[in-house]
Amino acid sequence: VRWTPLHWSCLDSPLPAAEYAKEVIEDYGEDSNYYRVRVLGDFPTSEFDQFISLELLEAASIREGVIAEGAVVWGLDPAWMGADETALAIRRGDVIGEIKGVRGLDTMQTVGWVINEHREAKDKPDLMVVDCIGIGAGVYDRLKELNYPVIACNVAETPSGVNKYLNTRAELWDRYKEWLQARRGSIPNDKKLIGQSSVVKYSYRSQGKLQIESKADMRKRGVHSPDRADAVCLTFYHQPIVRAKVSMPLMGDVPGWMM
């Protein structure tokens, strides 16, 4: 059997794809693998400083048969009124469900939005991890005052792996990557989440500590803030209390934050 390979870029498509290509360039850059794969239809390149490969993310987005069991953890990355998105990620065990986002809300409006999401949620969260830098501090304080199950996460603080990571943000992104590399979980086929997760770069400090590209540095190279990906990372911050009604299998040496 002979095969004839065919290749099309969406830029050559008769369908109205120009606007989509423009959006991808604005969000992730024309030199990103996301643009190369989703717009040009080419294979991704191996970028030496790309932290999470597009292949890992695409595989997790189409993985079937993953059972959602265990504690429900929400990761909330609040944003001030502006271009950035307040993102909410919901993870139950090895399944990351729909990522929700909203823009243009102040502190109390963000709290109200979260409360409404909590009210409508079929599975209530056992834990809500809030990035407490900036507007997030006020969101956390108010939710705590209202007795929601929240904990604050300062991603700039000293990590638990003090000799391995520059800060907690680097540790959380590494946990997210390890979970993807385990090839046992699933993520939604969310183009924003996949794109944001694949464009973040990394480096090592002179002490050998892992450093994840900051949001400020991403903006300097014309890439939007990875709000949805950061929200997912927050779900790996803390080992939640396992629900009594759920029988968790023994996972050997699997870190607690993966459960």
Side-chain angles (χ1 to χ4, degrees), residues 79-128:
W80 183 241
M81 301 173 68
D84 291 346
E85 181 181 50
T86 290
L88 174 65
I90 300 173
R91 180 168 72 90
R92 181 166 190 176
D94 281 326
V95 176
I96 295 172
E98 178 187 2
I99 310 295
K100 300 185 178 183
V102 68
R103 286 185 170 86
L105 302 185
D106 63 24
T107 306
M108 290 301 104
Q109 288 173 328
T110 300
V111 171
W113 177 71
V114 174
I115 291 174
N116 185 66
E117 292 297 328
H118 185 280
R119 181 187 302 118
E120 295 184 354
K122 180 180 178 181
D123 291 320
K124 306 300 183 186
D126 297 284
L127 193 67
M128 300 162 66

Side-chain angles (χ1 to χ4, degrees), residues 11-120:
L11 299 178
D12 300 325
S13 171
L15 300 175
E19 193 62 31
Y20 171 71
K22 181 181 178 182
E23 290 177 2
V24 173
I25 292 174
E26 290 178 351
D27 288 344
Y28 315 114
E30 197 168 356
D31 61 345
S32 68
N33 273 326
Y34 194 81
Y35 177 82
R36 190 173 291 109
V37 173
R38 291 294 180 94
V39 176
L40 299 182
D42 293 330
F43 289 106
T45 62
S46 179
E47 299 179 86
F48 76 94
D49 57 352
Q50 178 187 15
F51 189 62
I52 298 178
S53 72
L54 191 59
E55 183 272 331
L56 279 177
L57 295 158
E58 296 279 13
S61 72
I62 61 174
R63 187 167 292 124
E64 298 179 349
V66 183
I67 300 175
E69 61 180 7
V72 178
V73 184
W74 287 13
L76 179 67
D77 184 32
W80 183 241
M81 301 173 68
D84 291 346
E85 181 181 50
T86 290
L88 174 65
I90 300 173
R91 180 168 72 90
R92 181 166 190 176
D94 281 326
V95 176
I96 295 172
E98 178 187 2
I99 310 295
K100 300 185 178 183
V102 68
R103 286 185 170 86
L105 302 185
D106 63 24
T107 306
M108 290 301 104
Q109 288 173 328
T110 300
V111 171
W113 177 71
V114 174
I115 291 174
N116 185 66
E117 292 297 328
H118 185 280
R119 181 187 302 118
E120 295 184 354

Side-chain angles (χ1 to χ4, degrees), residues 226-247:
D227 305 306
R228 296 191 174 210
D230 279 332
V232 168
C233 289
L234 288 169
T235 69
F236 293 99
Y237 177 63
H238 184 72
Q239 180 179 355
I241 298 174
V242 177
R243 294 182 174 187
K245 67 179 181 180
V246 177
S247 177

Side-chain angles (χ1 to χ4, degrees), residues 1-15:
V1 178
R2 293 186 177 182
W3 298 89
T4 301
L6 301 175
H7 172 266
W8 283 279
S9 162
C10 80
L11 299 178
D12 300 325
S13 171
L15 300 175

Side-chain angles (χ1 to χ4, degrees), residues 99-251:
I99 310 295
K100 300 185 178 183
V102 68
R103 286 185 170 86
L105 302 185
D106 63 24
T107 306
M108 290 301 104
Q109 288 173 328
T110 300
V111 171
W113 177 71
V114 174
I115 291 174
N116 185 66
E117 292 297 328
H118 185 280
R119 181 187 302 118
E120 295 184 354
K122 180 180 178 181
D123 291 320
K124 306 300 183 186
D126 297 284
L127 193 67
M128 300 162 66
V129 184
V130 182
D131 184 346
C132 65
I133 294 179
I135 182 180
V139 173
Y140 163 76
D141 286 342
R142 181 56 177 155
L143 289 172
K144 182 180 180 182
E145 183 181 49
L146 295 172
N147 294 317
Y148 285 89
V150 294
I151 60 173
C153 173
N154 183 342
V155 295
E157 69 184 1
T158 302
S160 61
V162 64
N163 295 319
K164 186 176 180 181
Y165 305 105
L166 178 66
N167 51 27
T168 296
R169 184 165 190 261
E171 186 168 19
L172 296 184
W173 270 85
D174 198 38
R175 289 180 178 183
Y176 178 30
K177 181 179 181 179
E178 286 182 358
W179 178 76
L180 289 167
Q181 289 175 326
R183 295 181 184 273
R184 69 183 210 180
S186 67
I187 64 174
N189 187 17
D190 181 315
K191 69 181 184 68
K192 290 183 179 179
L193 172 62
I194 294 172
Q196 291 172 7
S197 300
S198 67
V199 298
V200 173
K201 299 182 181 295
Y202 77 100
S203 61
Y204 285 96
R205 301 295 288 270
S206 59
Q207 313 98 315
K209 296 182 179 181
L210 174 67
Q211 178 179 6
I212 295 298
E213 184 180 25
S214 69
K215 294 183 179 183
D217 286 340
M218 293 183 73
R219 292 190 187 97
K220 289 178 182 177
R221 63 183 181 93
V223 178
H224 288 186
S225 175
D227 305 306
R228 296 191 174 210
D230 279 332
V232 168
C233 289
L234 288 169
T235 69
F236 293 99
Y237 177 63
H238 184 72
Q239 180 179 355
I241 298 174
V242 177
R243 294 182 174 187
K245 67 179 181 180
V246 177
S247 177
M248 294 294 289
L250 295 176
M251 301 307 297

